[in-house]
């Protein structure tokens, strides 16, 4: 018990910030301050918009950006990561709000934070790198579509329809708009989105999102446009931390959503940190520490009424491009947003919802990287299939199911590709293994097969069918030095093949079995058949000598050439007689 606690304590200590982090924050504070201010300006409309889209309100988005943004900056594993509410998380939260209400979302966020901390302690961060690129591209495309569709009600100036299915809600919003069109809201949304998209191409360094929102708010106030519905009253400050939302009786029913939120937070945060590493030289994030920081951030955010948070790719990219060199920039971003919450809440409350919808519409469009999508689709048919399935599942079902479907399909296709690499080739015995006289004898009565690649459940049964076609020989030598891996299914199939050939009077000998494969073969008794007769050899020449000895003892003499086994090559599809 004591040793286990010591290990846990040591693991936690390894995940905590060190003196090196503080040193890096003091190297170039001026650049970090400027970068943090720029990111805060970009993050403000996004935090407000994603808070509104989640169903908990703009104040929840601001609380998340401040609290989670600060904690993830301090305890996270990336020096450049910026965290807060994101569109991907909003997609997952909408059905949770519909099913369990705002308090359910806060509880889910707290539980997800605990799960993330546990994953960090278990060193699970490294496994996130195995998510295939087509799955990432597919759910990014699907998220972009969902975020865009979620903004349709606010962009049209109609009440948000009930329900968590975005396609149904969008259709109902269009029907409501057709009955009573609100062209003012449409104009605000389109103008803000157009300004952001055009401005990003013209002057990428200028934060057109906040400029467009300020302009839309000023026009709405000066012109007295009642049709441009504002955000509404915001509290002048963060609420006191509280566990009042927590209902112990609901924890069981919220476990599945919490696992989904934690999985998404881990995936998106580590993906964002990897993007930051790729944009810089010399920066490398610690995946386990990043999970730990995101876990603490998600534990704390619900206490202040915030929604679950993740690393934000767009804000992290802005942070890197504006010259951030340490986690001080992300801390400044959170501090600036906190000042806005305390000092400018009355002004922020006047921002039209349609303007925020325009910000998120532009954000959704910019999430879609056409070049990356084209490259993935053109790579292979499998990659294209995985991308399309993941995107469609994200749109029709939800993000968690989409990722699961994408991973299952990707895994199945990968196994199929690996299984195709396994070959059972009939090969001529090397003349260097024996004399010319011996070659004549062996060619008549012995056939040698070389097993190439993995012998596992995906290829094992095809291997058995091919080996069962052996005919008109007395000895089969299986050369196994090129078997890359073998599982229990492969070992059982090998045992079955040996038994069937033995029943037909054909002796099976093996050569080149690797030490790492011996345990699997022993566990199913595949080697017992060979050991009883001394038919397992270290090298092929030894197996050939053993075959000669067996044939001599059996009184088999050279005879007329006979037909040997038919061999099918998986690469060429040719049949060799």
């Amino acid at each position: 018990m004591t040793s286990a606690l010591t290990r846990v304590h040591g693991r936690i200590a390894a995940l905590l910030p060190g003196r090196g982090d503080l040193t890096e924050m003091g190297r170039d504070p001026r650049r970090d301050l400027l970068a943090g201010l720029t990111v805060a300006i970009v993050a403000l409309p996004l935090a407000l918009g994603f808070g509104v889209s989640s169903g908990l309100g703009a104040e929840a988005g601001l609380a998340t950006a401040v609290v989670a943004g600060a904690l993830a900056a301090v305890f996270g594993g990336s020096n450049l990561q910026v965290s807060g509410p994101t569109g991907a998380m909003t997609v997952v939260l909408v059905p949770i709000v519909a099913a369990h209400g705002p308090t359910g979302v806060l509880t889910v966020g707290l539980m997800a934070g605990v799960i993330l901390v546990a994953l960090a302690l278990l060193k699970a961060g490294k496994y996130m790198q195995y998510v295939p690129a087509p799955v990432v591209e597919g759910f990014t495309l699907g998220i972009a579509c969902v975020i865009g569709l979620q903004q349709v009600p606010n962009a049209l100036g109609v009440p948000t329809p009930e329900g968590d299915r975005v396609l149904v809600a969008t259709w109902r919003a269009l029907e409501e708009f057709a009955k009573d069109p609100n062209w003012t809201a449409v104009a605000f949304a389109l103008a803000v989105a157009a300004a952001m998209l055009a401005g990003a191409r013209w002057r990428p360094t200028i934060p057109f999102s906040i400029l467009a929102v300020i302009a839309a708010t000023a026009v709405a106030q000066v012109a007295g446009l009642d049709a441009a519905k504002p955000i509404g009253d915001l509290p002048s400050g963060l609420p006191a931390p509280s566990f009042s939302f927590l209902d112990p009786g609901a924890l069981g029913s919220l476990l599945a959503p919490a696992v989904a939120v934690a999985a998404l937070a881990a995936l998106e945060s580590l993906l964002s940190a990897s993007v930051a590493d790729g944009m810089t030289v010399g920066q490398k994030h610690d995946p386990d520490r990043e999970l730990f920081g995101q876990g603490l951030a998600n534990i704390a955010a619900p206490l202040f009424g915030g929604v679950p948070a993740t690393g934000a790719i767009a804000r992290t990219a802005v942070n890197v491009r504006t010259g951030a060199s340490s986690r001080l920039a992300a801390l400044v971003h959170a501090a600036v947003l906190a000042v806005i919450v305390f000092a400018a809440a009355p002004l922020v409350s006047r921002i039209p919802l349609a303007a925020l919808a325009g910000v998120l519409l532009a954000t959704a469009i910019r999430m879609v990287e056409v070049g990356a999508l084209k490259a993935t689709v053109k790579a292979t048919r499998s990659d294209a299939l995985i991308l399309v399935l993941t995107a469609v599942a994200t749109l029709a079902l939800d993000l968690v199911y989409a990722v699961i479907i994408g991973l299952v399909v990707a895994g199945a296709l990968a196994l199929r590709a690996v299984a195709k690499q396994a070959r059972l080739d009939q090969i001529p015995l090397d003349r260097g293994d024996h004399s010319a006289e011996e070659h004549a004898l062996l060619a008549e009565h012995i056939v040698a097969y070389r097993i190439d690649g993995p012998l596992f459940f995906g290829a094992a049964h095809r291997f058995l069918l091919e080996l069962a076609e052996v005919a008109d020989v007395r000895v089969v030598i299986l050369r196994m030095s090129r078997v890359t891996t073998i599982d229990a299914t492969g070992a059982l199939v090998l045992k079955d093949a040996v038994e069937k050939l033995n029943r037909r009077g054909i002796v099976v000998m093996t050569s080149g079995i690797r030490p790492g494969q011996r345990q699997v073969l022993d566990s199913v008794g595949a080697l017992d058949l060979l050991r009883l007769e001394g038919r397992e050899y270290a090298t092929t020449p030894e197996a050939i000598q053993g075959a000669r000895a067996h044939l001599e003892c059996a009184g088999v003499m050279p005879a007329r050439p006979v037909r040997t086994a038919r061999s099918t090559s998986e690469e060429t599809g040719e049949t060799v007689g």
Side-chain angles (χ1 to χ4, degrees):
M1 183 66 178
T2 304
S3 61
L5 291 175
T6 302
R7 287 196 300 269
V8 172
H9 181 269
R11 182 62 186 149
I12 294 176
L15 295 172
L16 294 175
R19 181 176 299 178
D21 298 316
L22 186 60
T23 302
E24 289 179 356
M25 291 171 63
R27 286 179 180 173
D28 199 348
R30 183 175 299 179
R31 291 179 59 186
D32 287 331
L33 289 171
L34 179 60
L37 177 61
T38 304
V39 175
I41 294 173
V42 173
L44 176 59
L46 293 175
L48 295 170
F50 289 135
V52 172
S53 296
S54 69
L56 270 70
E59 61 272 18
L62 283 174
T64 302
V66 173
V67 177
L71 286 174
V74 174
F75 294 97
S78 171
N79 288 332
L80 306 175
Q81 178 94 286
V82 178
S83 300
T86 62
M89 187 60 71
T90 300
V91 173
V92 176
L93 296 181
V94 169
I96 299 176
V97 173
H100 304 283
T103 58
V105 171
L106 300 179
T107 304
V108 164
L110 179 65
M111 296 171 66
V114 174
I115 294 172
L116 288 171
V117 170
L119 290 176
L121 295 175
L122 294 173
K123 300 182 180 182
K126 59 185 177 181
Y127 296 109
M128 294 298 172
Q129 64 183 319
Y130 296 113
V131 178
V135 175
V136 175
E137 294 293 342
F139 84 68
T140 301
L141 175 60
I143 289 168
C145 294
V146 174
I147 292 173
L149 292 174
Q150 284 179 341
Q151 309 318 309
V152 170
N154 285 335
L156 298 179
V158 300
T160 302
E162 295 182 359
D164 59 347
R165 295 301 178 188
V166 65
L167 292 174
V168 175
T170 301
W171 179 255
R172 291 175 180 171
L174 291 172
E175 291 179 333
E176 192 68 24
F177 178 79
K179 297 176 183 177
D180 185 16
N182 184 347
W183 296 109
T184 301
V186 174
F188 273 117
L190 293 180
V192 171
M196 286 182 60
L197 295 175
R201 296 178 64 87
W202 178 52
R203 289 286 190 274
T205 58
I206 299 177
F208 281 95
S209 58
I210 193 68
L211 295 179
V213 168
I214 291 174
T217 305
V219 170
Q221 292 299 310
V222 172
L225 299 176
D226 295 333
K229 183 181 177 182
I231 292 176
D233 293 336
L234 292 175
S236 296
L238 296 175
S242 171
F243 282 98
S244 60
F245 62 87
L246 191 61
D247 179 10
L251 296 181
S253 61
L254 294 174
L255 179 59
V259 171
V261 168
L264 177 58
L267 180 62
E268 189 172 14
S269 298
L270 294 178
L271 175 63
S272 177
S274 298
V275 170
D277 291 346
M279 295 176 66
T280 58
V281 177
Q283 292 284 352
K284 184 172 179 60
H285 74 281
D286 182 335
D288 294 324
R289 187 175 167 189
E290 182 62 30
L291 292 180
F292 184 72
Q294 295 294 336
L296 294 182
N298 279 286
I299 290 173
L303 306 184
F304 296 87
V307 296
T310 74
I313 295 178
R315 276 156 275 179
T316 299
V318 172
N319 194 38
V320 176
R321 291 193 190 105
T322 49
S325 61
S326 74
R327 56 191 71 226
L328 177 62
L331 271 174
V332 170
H333 137 269
V336 171
L337 291 177
V339 171
I340 293 174
V341 170
F342 283 98
L347 296 177
V348 173
S349 65
R350 299 177 184 177
I351 296 175
L353 289 173
L356 291 182
V359 171
L360 299 187
L361 284 172
T363 301
I365 293 172
R366 292 168 63 178
M367 286 177 65
V368 180
E369 297 183 10
V370 178
L373 291 177
K374 287 183 177 180
T376 304
V377 170
K378 290 180 179 179
T380 64
R381 292 182 179 179
S382 297
D383 290 333
L385 175 63
I386 295 167
L387 188 152
V388 172
L389 278 178
T390 306
V392 172
T394 302
L395 192 59
L397 301 173
D398 64 45
L399 186 60
V400 177
Y401 283 121
V403 172
I404 292 174
I405 291 172
L407 289 175
V408 169
V409 174
L413 293 176
L415 286 175
R416 179 172 173 267
V418 171
K420 283 186 175 181
Q421 297 176 5
R423 300 193 312 275
L424 182 69
D425 295 333
Q426 180 180 340
I427 59 174
L429 296 173
D430 297 335
R431 290 183 178 273
D433 292 339
H434 45 81
S435 65
E437 293 79 8
E438 293 169 355
H439 183 271
L441 176 63
L442 294 171
E444 183 173 351
H445 298 289
I446 300 174
V447 62
Y449 282 96
R450 183 174 60 212
I451 306 174
D452 279 321
L455 183 59
F456 72 126
F457 68 92
H461 294 289
R462 175 168 52 81
F463 161 81
L464 176 61
L465 291 176
E466 292 186 31
L467 193 57
E469 295 180 357
V470 174
D472 300 333
V473 295
R474 300 294 296 272
V475 178
V476 170
I477 297 176
L478 297 180
R479 303 177 68 170
M480 300 182 63
S481 60
R482 296 191 183 183
V483 175
T484 56
T485 185
I486 186 169
D487 68 354
T489 303
L492 286 170
V493 166
L494 180 63
K495 177 184 178 183
D496 192 21
V498 172
E499 290 177 339
K500 288 184 177 181
L501 290 173
N502 287 345
R503 285 197 293 268
R504 292 168 50 196
I506 299 174
V507 173
V508 179
M509 299 180 178
T510 63
S511 68
I513 297 177
R514 298 181 181 180
Q517 300 161 1
R518 189 172 299 279
Q519 180 179 354
V520 180
L521 294 169
D522 267 335
S523 66
V524 300
L527 292 182
D528 293 343
L529 298 174
L530 304 173
R531 289 198 183 107
L532 290 175
E533 302 294 335
R535 296 169 183 171
E536 181 196 350
Y537 298 91
T539 65
T540 300
E542 293 175 0
I544 293 172
Q545 293 176 6
R548 279 195 71 240
H550 170 77
L551 293 175
E552 288 176 359
C553 291
V556 178
M557 299 300 294
R560 60 180 177 82
V562 296
R563 180 174 61 87
T564 57
R566 186 175 63 186
S567 173
T568 303
S569 171
E570 288 299 317
E571 291 183 332
T572 63
E574 296 178 354
T575 301
V576 181

